[in-house]
Amino acid sequence: MSPDLARVVAGRGMGVISTLTVRESFANTRMHDLSFLDQPLIRDVTPPNFLTEIRQAAAHGDFPMTGPNMDTYRQWLPRANANLMMMWQAGVLVAAGTEAPYPGVVQGAGLHREPERLGAAGCRPV
């Protein structure tokens, strides 16, 4: 994303739906500390067998921090943050959005994670 392209997007009245939580999932950055699974928003609404399966998969090493594409995926998140900030600063409407399920993204709770990621990128609520 360039500043010129961000201005064009803004000038056309376009908006974007962020998917920073999905980018975070691809990079497996959230999966090496599973304490987020104990947050009430996740723990209280997610089927217990699903939480157990995530913990078992993590214990088996199913969410590696190395391997094919991991370096690329980890580079995506800061770049996605920067692109999103460029659009937001240009006046593009940024809406929180995410898809589920991905590793570390739980349906329902993923939409609550997205504003956290937006805030970490530098966006502020309007």
Side-chain angles (χ1 to χ4, degrees), residues 13-31:
M14 299 169 69
V16 296
I17 298 174
S18 64
T19 55
L20 298 178
T21 301
V22 173
R23 301 276 185 194
E24 178 182 52
S25 172
F26 286 179
N28 282 342
T29 56
R30 198 170 194 206
M31 297 307 290

Side-chain angles (χ1 to χ4, degrees), residues 86-111:
M86 192 174 306
M87 287 187 285
W88 185 72
Q89 290 169 338
V92 175
L93 174 66
V94 174
T98 193
E99 297 93 41
Y102 287 95
V105 183
V106 179
Q107 288 187 312
L111 190 54

Side-chain angles (χ1 to χ4, degrees), residues 60-77:
H60 288 120
D62 291 344
F63 308 114
M65 294 305 296
T66 61
N69 301 320
M70 278 295 127
D71 288 337
T72 300
Y73 292 148
R74 278 199 206 85
Q75 292 171 12
W76 282 2
L77 190 55

Side-chain angles (χ1 to χ4, degrees), residues 1-20:
M1 175 67 58
S2 69
D4 288 338
L5 180 56
R7 285 189 291 276
V8 168
V9 171
R12 292 184 179 174
M14 299 169 69
V16 296
I17 298 174
S18 64
T19 55
L20 298 178

